[in-house]
Amino acid sequence: MDFPANSTLHFSPLAADGRSLLSERAATLRGRDHRPNSITRLSHCPSLSPLPNPLHKVPSICISPQTIGTHKLHFWGVRISGFLSIYVLRFWVVRDTWGSRGKRVKDYSLYTGALGTAYLLFKAYQVTKDGNELNLCSEIVKACDSASADSGKVTFICGRAGVCALGAVIAKHTGDERLLDYYLRQFKEIAIPRESPYELLYGRAGYLWACSFLNKHIGNNTIPTTHMRSIVDEVIMAGRHLGRKGRCPLMYEWHGKKYWGAAHGLAGIMHALMDMELKPDEVEDVKGTLRYMINNRLPSGNYPSSEGSENDRLVHWCHGAPGLTLTLVKAAEVFGDKEFSQAAVDAGEVVWKRGLLKRVGICHGISGNTYVFLSLYRMTGNEEYLYRAKAFACFLLDRAQNLISEGKMHGGDRPYSLFEGLGGMAYTCLDMVDPQMAKFPGYEL
């Protein structure tokens, strides 16, 4: 998303103080944890101070893989005992975005609205297997369905497609065939306006991603290739048309700018296209577009937010190296080309050096940048990336709330939302339970 330039600089107070902390923590983790998929006690990762909230009486959270099924969460062995635990984070998010609003939905989106809370609850269900999480998730999705019925927005993250797609997946998990059929029927009735852009958050790429989400979670061909093909044709044709005016095979414009990033630009569109059945010449266009971006990255190794920009300040999922890293990892997996895996590793170094931001969220914050290391760990098996992910996540648990209260970090314009606030932090922490399966919400499948 776009936001004022003065709010997007990497957080220099953290860069000095936090960088040494992260480096020390990563080194300590390397020395202690030789079993990345096991639960180990990390005494060097202290919990946050308790907040003036009645939830300080929440019972101690037990740290044992065996307790996952009984709704007791762990986070890499960190004992949080009545402090700002993952469970308490989840409680606050639900209370603010659902309970305190009288269970009425105004913003239904995954990005900043109630659907983001439902997505968090679905993740909590996947971790805990607690049916109460799934039931509450289903209740929120039904409210989002009503709120989005007349919406003209068509994407997964910001539109109607996200409501119907997540609703169908939840219905499958609850065994409600009638509701599953309803959401799938509603999804297939979504009409993409001719004036829709091509990017991920508001455009055709975001609708295609929703199709891929359904095919993964419901079953192959839930949304048939023939349904998606006409949209893929539109995306490719438009990209080639604008690309002919420059040196990049595919290029797109949104609000007068040719964006490169995951949210509005090339990275997000290429990411969605890589899940489609592409013709050989289309595959070459996607690969050529990624190569163009690699060859024209900034001298620092970061990626510009838009074509021709020399601004080197943004290190976010939405704009900059973090979103490009995830897309390049995807390209390495799909195409098997070493150049893409190496470019992903290079971009990840930028995130490690400059990705400790002054925001907690997923879109443009530390939570989102944590997924860079989880994605690289999944691609390479190199435990160094796991240690880095744990260092970023531990930093959030250790210090985020205190720094927000001191005015040194920004809690997000929607402080409990999935993409801007504590909802994203809670989601990231839940994903750390099984890092091999961790995926950036609404982007990685």
Side-chain angles (χ1 to χ4, degrees):
M1 300 287 284
D2 284 339
F3 32 85
N6 62 5
S7 70
T8 61
L9 293 170
H10 68 279
F11 189 31
S12 54
L14 292 184
D17 175 36
R19 179 57 45 213
S20 60
L21 173 67
L22 288 180
S23 297
E24 178 183 350
R25 178 155 298 152
T28 305
L29 289 167
R30 282 194 296 270
R32 287 180 179 228
D33 186 4
H34 302 291
R35 298 175 299 160
N37 292 314
S38 65
I39 306 302
T40 56
R41 186 174 301 278
L42 305 178
S43 58
H44 60 282
C45 186
S47 43
L48 291 167
S49 300
L51 300 177
N53 186 291
L55 291 175
H56 73 277
K57 295 181 180 179
V58 171
S60 297
I61 294 175
C62 186
I63 297 143
S64 166
Q66 288 75 30
T67 63
I68 288 297
T70 59
H71 200 76
K72 298 176 181 178
L73 303 179
H74 65 265
F75 173 65
W76 288 101
V78 182
R79 190 172 183 85
I80 306 178
S81 300
F83 296 100
L84 187 59
S85 67
I86 304 168
Y87 182 77
V88 174
L89 273 176
R90 167 242 176 260
F91 185 95
W92 286 352
V93 170
V94 173
R95 183 189 62 182
D96 183 83
T97 61
W98 180 245
S100 67
R101 298 173 187 267
K103 300 182 180 180
R104 293 188 298 271
V105 171
K106 184 176 181 180
D107 179 354
Y108 68 82
S109 73
L110 189 86
Y111 191 90
T112 53
L115 194 68
T117 301
Y119 207 73
L120 171 62
L121 290 169
F122 182 49
K123 170 56 66 175
Y125 164 73
Q126 290 175 307
V127 172
T128 67
K129 304 306 179 187
D130 186 338
N132 291 323
E133 304 283 28
L134 199 61
N135 292 335
L136 181 55
C137 175
S138 180
E139 182 182 351
I140 295 174
V141 173
K142 288 176 183 177
C144 292
D145 176 45
S146 298
S148 66
D150 298 322
S151 174
K153 297 177 180 178
V154 300
T155 66
F156 188 87
I157 295 176
C158 292
R160 173 77 173 159
V163 175
C164 297
L166 183 58
V169 171
I170 300 307
K172 180 184 178 182
H173 279 272
T174 59
D176 191 330
E177 292 294 330
R178 182 195 61 80
L179 199 57
L180 172 60
D181 290 342
Y182 166 78
Y183 281 124
L184 289 178
R185 187 170 62 253
Q186 290 293 306
F187 185 92
K188 293 174 182 177
E189 290 177 1
I190 293 172
I192 301 179
R194 290 186 60 186
E195 65 274 13
S196 289
Y198 299 93
E199 44 87 272
L200 188 78
L201 256 61
Y202 302 111
R204 289 169 170 84
Y207 177 81
L208 290 175
W209 196 92
C211 294
S212 298
F213 178 84
L214 280 171
N215 285 339
K216 176 182 177 179
H217 290 281
I218 303 294
N220 287 335
N221 214 40
T222 299
I223 305 299
T225 300
T226 52
H227 180 88
M228 296 180 280
R229 186 64 238 183
S230 61
I231 303 168
V232 171
D233 287 341
E234 292 172 354
V235 174
I236 294 292
M237 186 181 304
R240 285 173 173 172
H241 178 74
L242 195 56
R244 279 197 290 267
K245 299 178 181 180
R247 295 170 293 143
C248 188
L250 301 172
M251 185 60 70
Y252 304 87
E253 195 170 74
W254 187 73
H255 286 256
K257 283 189 177 183
K258 300 179 180 70
Y259 284 103
W260 278 33
H264 302 300
L266 290 174
I269 298 169
M270 297 307 107
H271 200 99
L273 286 176
M274 283 188 283
D275 280 315
M276 301 294 109
E277 290 187 12
L278 301 178
K279 301 171 185 176
D281 59 325
E282 295 169 343
V283 169
E284 291 306 312
D285 281 349
V286 170
K287 293 167 74 172
T289 299
L290 294 173
R291 291 188 183 110
Y292 173 83
M293 299 172 77
I294 294 168
N295 293 334
N296 291 277
R297 57 192 155 180
L298 297 166
S300 68
N302 194 19
Y303 287 77
S305 61
S306 60
E307 181 77 357
S309 173
E310 296 181 359
N311 189 318
D312 191 9
R313 293 187 297 176
L314 308 183
V315 186
H316 310 147
W317 168 76
C318 48
H319 301 291
L324 264 295
T325 306
L326 302 182
T327 296
L328 290 167
V329 168
K330 175 82 170 179
E333 294 170 348
V334 171
F335 303 129
D337 291 16
K338 187 175 180 180
E339 62 182 315
F340 296 134
S341 59
Q342 184 58 55
V345 167
D346 294 342
E349 289 303 308
V350 176
V351 181
W352 176 241
K353 293 174 182 175
R354 299 172 53 191
L356 195 67
L357 307 177
K358 67 176 181 179
R359 292 176 183 255
V360 300
I362 280 180
C363 182
H364 34 276
I366 298 174
S367 297
N369 286 356
T370 301
Y371 281 95
V372 167
F373 309 118
L374 292 169
S375 189
L376 288 169
Y377 171 61
R378 194 173 64 247
M379 180 184 77
T380 66
N382 185 346
E383 293 181 6
E384 178 71 23
Y385 296 119
L386 179 59
Y387 304 137
R388 290 181 176 188
K390 290 162 71 175
F392 266 46
C394 280
F395 185 92
L396 283 170
L397 285 177
D398 290 355
R399 307 190 59 193
Q401 189 62 42
N402 286 342
L403 289 168
I404 290 170
S405 65
E406 294 168 4
K408 295 178 180 178
M409 284 188 79
H410 196 299
D413 296 328
R414 288 87 164 181
Y416 293 94
S417 65
L418 182 66
F419 267 67
E420 290 187 356
L422 292 175
M425 178 175 161
Y427 194 99
T428 303
C429 291
L430 285 169
D431 250 345
M432 290 297 293
V433 171
D434 187 358
Q436 283 282 11
M437 300 301 294
K439 302 290 178 67
F440 191 106
Y443 199 64
E444 294 183 295
L445 284 170

